[in-house]
């Protein structure tokens, strides 16, 4: 499920990555036991208690979304769609575009080895998303890393230019920070350390390019992840975001096959059957 890429270094020691790192941090957890108190309050003839004794287990995201969908029609009795028929149930949801029930299940990933250009595109996805991103004001140059695009890694001249550029950027960052600390010495000494650090770093980061690594912790619900896979794991997406999007979608396929199983390889991209559920 998780992928940790190698960290490379230039001859001068500037660290960089060539692939995204993807770590699944959190999946839904469903507690069906509590449902009995609700279902037992209905007329016993309706047979609603049948729901909690369904013999087929589903992965947690599918269990949760099926429960949410079946609440809509109080479909808890023996004639309901059983867990064994969950695939048919969700195919119907996907085909009819009733995607709101997919919003109950959330998955969280740590994604690193991605650059600032990638995260700038990623954070445009708003509906159903939560983000935490490394602060370039709080974190100084000591943890600075870069991301090399596949086309640069594939060509000796572009690779040489890349290494030269990131060495220069790392050096310039330190030079700017050192100069600011010198010329604003008194002002910085008079403020809380944390504010002083931000004041220096926010200026120093100006010399960093889109190639700067920008790790994210990102949470989204199933409906939002599906839309993301459709837009960003597609052939038309920039390789910078397509590669982590494909890796995340593959991880989600393992966690919730009924929701993400439709995303099939399409060259180095993915393609799904349903549009914008
Ligand atoms: C190949 C590609 C090229 C792109 N090029 C550019 C570009 O040149 N310039 C640029 O600025 N952006 C560009 N984008 C970004 C794109 O326009 C979207 O901002 C981004 O993909 C987020 O998708 P989304 O709008 O569907 O938002 P999401 O937050 O993922 O929302 C999902 C869906 O929810 C609904 N929704 C969300 N918010 C609202 C709202 N406020 N009101 C009504 N409905 C809402 C919409 O139906 C939306 O599609 C590009 C995206 C791709 C994939």
């Amino acid at each position: 499920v998780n992928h940790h890429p190698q960290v490379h270094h230039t001859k001068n020691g500037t660290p960089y990555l060539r692939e995204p790192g993807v770590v699944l941090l959190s999946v839904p957890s469903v507690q069906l036991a509590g449902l009995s108190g609700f279902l037992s309050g209905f007329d016993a003839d309706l047979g609603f208690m049948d729901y909690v004794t369904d013999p087929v287990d589903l992965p947690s995201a599918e269990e949760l979304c099926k429960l949410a969908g079946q609440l809509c029609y109080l479909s808890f009795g023996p004639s309901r769609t059983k867990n064994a028929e969950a695939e048919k149930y969700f195919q119907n949801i996907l085909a009819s575009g009733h995607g709101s029930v997919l919003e109950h299940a959330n998955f969280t990933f740590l994604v690193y080895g991605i650059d600032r250009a990638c995260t700038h595109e990623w954070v445009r996805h708003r509906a159903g998303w939560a983000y935490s991103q490394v602060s370039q004001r709080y974190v100084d140059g000591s943890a600075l890393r870069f991301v090399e695009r596949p086309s640069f890694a594939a060509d000796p001249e572009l690779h040489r230019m890349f290494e030269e550029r990131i060495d220069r950027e790392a050096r310039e960052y330190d030079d700017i920070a050192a100069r600011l600390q010198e010329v604003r010495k008194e002002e910085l000494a008079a403020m809380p350390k944390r504010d002083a650090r931000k004041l220096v770093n926010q200026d120093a980061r100006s010399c960093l390019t889109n190639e700067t690594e920008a790790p994210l912790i990102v949470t989204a619900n199933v409906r939002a992840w599906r839309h993301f896979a459709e837009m960003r794991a597609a052939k038309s997406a920039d390789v910078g975001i397509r590669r982590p999007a494909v890796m995340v979608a593959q991880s989600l396929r393992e966690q919730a096959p009924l929701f993400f199983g439709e995303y099939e390889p399409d060259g180095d991209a993915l393609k799904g059957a349903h549009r914008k559920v």
Side-chain angles (χ1 to χ4, degrees):
V1 167
N2 299 328
H3 179 68
H4 295 288
Q6 190 188 342
V7 180
H8 303 267
H9 293 85
T10 65
K11 279 195 213 80
N12 293 320
T14 309
Y16 66 92
L17 296 94
R18 287 177 154 169
E19 290 167 45
V22 170
V23 179
L24 175 66
L25 289 178
S26 168
V27 302
S29 163
V30 186
Q31 315 290 327
L32 277 194
L35 203 58
S36 307
F38 166 61
L39 297 177
S40 63
F42 290 90
D43 192 319
D45 291 346
L46 292 168
F48 281 2
M49 287 300 283
D50 208 49
Y51 197 88
V52 285
T53 55
D54 193 310
V56 176
D57 287 335
L58 292 174
S60 59
E62 287 143 8
E63 179 100 73
L64 180 60
C65 295
K66 183 163 174 286
L67 171 61
Q70 296 199 295
L71 176 92
C72 298
Y73 300 154
L74 285 182
S75 299
F76 297 121
S79 62
R80 72 185 186 282
T81 304
K82 310 255 182 359
N83 284 357
E85 298 142 339
E87 185 169 359
K88 196 172 111 205
Y89 181 82
F90 285 120
Q91 278 304 313
N92 192 28
I93 295 261
L94 296 176
S96 59
H98 287 160
S100 66
V101 294
L102 308 184
E103 293 171 15
H104 292 285
N106 283 267
F107 290 90
T108 302
F109 289 87
L110 161 69
V111 189
Y112 66 99
I114 52 172
D115 64 23
R116 201 79 178 173
C118 167
T119 61
H120 187 76
E121 293 185 350
W122 200 318
V123 300
R124 292 292 301 279
H125 293 275
R126 310 145 283 171
W129 292 84
Y131 297 102
S132 296
Q133 184 168 16
V134 167
S135 165
Q136 285 189 334
R137 295 182 74 205
Y138 190 85
V139 179
D140 65 21
S142 60
L144 199 56
R145 302 198 301 189
F146 295 87
V147 176
E148 185 176 30
R149 292 182 67 81
S151 54
F152 298 169
D155 177 70
E157 179 57 11
L158 290 170
H159 174 65
R160 186 194 63 73
M161 288 162 68
F162 167 78
E163 287 208 336
E164 203 176 281
R165 187 165 59 248
I166 63 171
D167 275 344
R168 188 175 61 241
E169 278 176 47
R171 202 173 52 242
E172 245 178 61
Y173 184 102
D174 288 343
D175 290 349
I176 294 171
R179 176 73 184 163
L180 285 166
Q181 272 153 0
E182 193 187 317
V183 296
R184 300 179 79 169
K185 200 171 172 179
E186 281 167 29
E187 185 190 350
L188 295 171
M191 51 173 72
K193 266 192 174 165
R194 187 189 153 116
D195 293 347
R197 181 164 53 201
K198 281 184 177 174
L199 212 70
V200 169
N201 294 347
Q202 72 192 15
D203 279 350
R205 69 172 168 178
S206 301
C207 71
L208 300 176
T209 67
N210 274 341
E211 291 165 322
T212 310
E213 189 196 24
L216 279 179
I217 286 188
V218 56
T219 302
N221 65 53
V222 166
R223 191 183 204 182
W225 278 124
R226 283 182 50 90
H227 180 60
F228 181 77
E230 202 178 295
M231 307 283 287
R232 303 302 189 172
K235 271 185 176 161
S236 55
D238 179 350
V239 63
I241 193 165
R242 190 192 330 126
R243 288 204 300 178
V246 166
M247 289 161 82
V248 165
Q250 281 166 340
S251 179
L252 289 168
R253 264 174 74 106
E254 288 172 31
Q255 295 299 316
L258 298 186
F259 296 149
F260 297 96
E262 71 177 73
Y263 295 103
E264 295 287 348
D266 177 22
D268 55 3
L270 295 178
K271 202 172 175 181
H274 299 94
R275 300 268 314 156
K276 207 165 190 185
V277 170

